[in-house]
Amino acid sequence: MWPEDVVLYQPIEATQILLPDFASCLCVKTYLNLFKLNFTTEQRLNATEMSPTGKVPLLKIEADIISDVNPVISLLCGKGFQLSSHLTDSERAEMKAFISLVDNVLYNAESYLSWCVDEVSENITKPRYTSPYSWPLNHFLLWRKSRQELGRLESIGWLKKTFTEVCEEVETCCQALSERLGDNTYFFGDFPTELDAIVYGHLYAILTTEQLPNTALAQIVKNTPRLVRFCTTIQSMIE
């Protein structure tokens, strides 16, 4: 039985949340909504500080408090809420491979755009990230977060990429997703899976973050008609 007091914590959308975190929160919200599970969203200035891993979203289910997309979905699957239960073993393995592709490309591209593209970093990322804090704490926390994100991108070989190369990675990823989707409603069979929730979260976040001064990633998605159709379908299901 699903409890009545489930809470999802996230940063404030209007003034604070960054693109990668917005996408992650959408992934989990979409998963919950596809199951039509009741939950309350609470926007908090200190959502990341509340998280045991520093990642959002943070989901509280009775005694369980867990953060980040894949751990939350794993917890839900363990509680019997598994969207991919209808898949064969080989299909589930293929689904996980595509989830890994999305994690490795779209999430990293969102992070790169947020922290490595100067017009976005200076005009959007830094003001939004520091908005809850006063001086001098805001400068220290920004320095720490920037160092953390740039260090992570460097460790996986993304920091040395040009933005053109990042866009090429995203284009290749979107093409692979488009080919797997084909003319179908969902990526696997007649029902949505974890992959559908995760892909929708990232693509919808990219498409709807209109205030970014650089919209190259959104344009790549818009140039992939099957994925735009897919987003429209999922959006109609969860509204």
Side-chain angles (χ1 to χ4, degrees):
M1 180 177 292
W2 184 253
E4 294 294 326
D5 57 348
V6 175
V7 182
L8 182 146
Y9 297 96
Q10 66 167 66
I12 297 175
E13 284 189 15
T15 59
Q16 181 189 17
I17 200 167
L18 303 180
L19 176 58
D21 291 341
F22 181 43
S24 295
C25 292
L26 276 176
C27 291
V28 172
K29 288 180 182 179
T30 303
Y31 193 91
L32 292 168
N33 284 325
L34 286 172
F35 264 116
K36 301 190 184 304
L37 299 173
N38 292 325
F39 67 97
T40 301
T41 298
E42 290 197 14
Q43 300 186 37
R44 299 283 187 89
L45 287 171
N46 63 337
T48 54
E49 285 75 20
M50 293 169 59
S51 170
T53 63
K55 294 182 177 294
V56 291
L58 175 66
L59 196 69
K60 183 179 182 297
I61 307 179
E62 296 180 320
D64 294 312
I65 299 177
I66 196 157
S67 60
D68 205 6
V69 178
N70 291 322
V72 168
I73 290 179
S74 294
L75 175 69
L76 295 173
C77 289
K79 290 182 176 293
F81 299 98
Q82 183 175 17
L83 286 172
S84 60
S85 58
H86 63 286
L87 299 186
T88 65
D89 289 344
S90 61
E91 287 174 331
R92 191 170 291 111
E94 185 180 2
M95 179 197 72
K96 289 180 179 178
F98 273 101
I99 290 175
S100 179
L101 174 67
V102 171
D103 288 342
N104 290 333
V105 176
L106 296 187
Y107 181 81
N108 288 329
E110 292 157 3
S111 295
Y112 186 103
L113 178 63
S114 299
W115 294 97
C116 301
V117 177
D118 287 343
E119 58 184 332
V120 177
S121 177
E122 294 298 324
N123 297 313
I124 302 295
T125 302
K126 291 179 180 180
R128 288 178 71 87
Y129 187 79
T130 58
S131 63
Y133 314 108
S134 57
W135 186 89
L137 182 61
N138 57 349
H139 288 279
F140 169 73
L141 292 178
L142 176 63
W143 170 80
R144 187 177 67 179
K145 180 65 173 179
S146 177
R147 184 179 180 186
Q148 173 188 338
E149 289 298 321
L150 295 178
R152 188 186 67 80
L153 290 170
E154 183 177 28
S155 70
I156 58 175
W158 275 65
L159 191 59
K160 64 183 179 182
K161 293 180 183 292
T162 64
F163 187 53
T164 298
E165 291 172 330
V166 169
C167 288
E168 289 171 354
E169 294 265 10
V170 172
E171 191 169 0
T172 300
C173 176
C174 286
Q175 187 58 41
L177 290 170
S178 176
E179 291 176 3
R180 183 65 184 85
L181 181 64
D183 295 324
N184 301 310
T185 304
Y186 310 111
F187 285 99
F188 289 90
D190 298 326
F191 303 96
T193 65
E194 291 89 325
L195 177 63
D196 296 270
I198 290 172
V199 170
Y200 174 80
H202 284 283
L203 296 186
Y204 189 81
I206 290 171
L207 285 170
T208 59
T209 308
E210 297 176 349
Q211 73 269 32
L212 291 179
N214 187 310
T215 59
L217 300 188
Q219 193 57 52
I220 292 170
V221 178
K222 289 177 182 178
N223 289 339
T224 317
R226 288 172 177 168
L227 297 184
V228 175
R229 169 180 56 81
F230 166 79
C231 288
T232 302
T233 299
I234 300 297
Q235 183 181 9
S236 68
M237 292 177 61
I238 63 177
E239 285 184 337

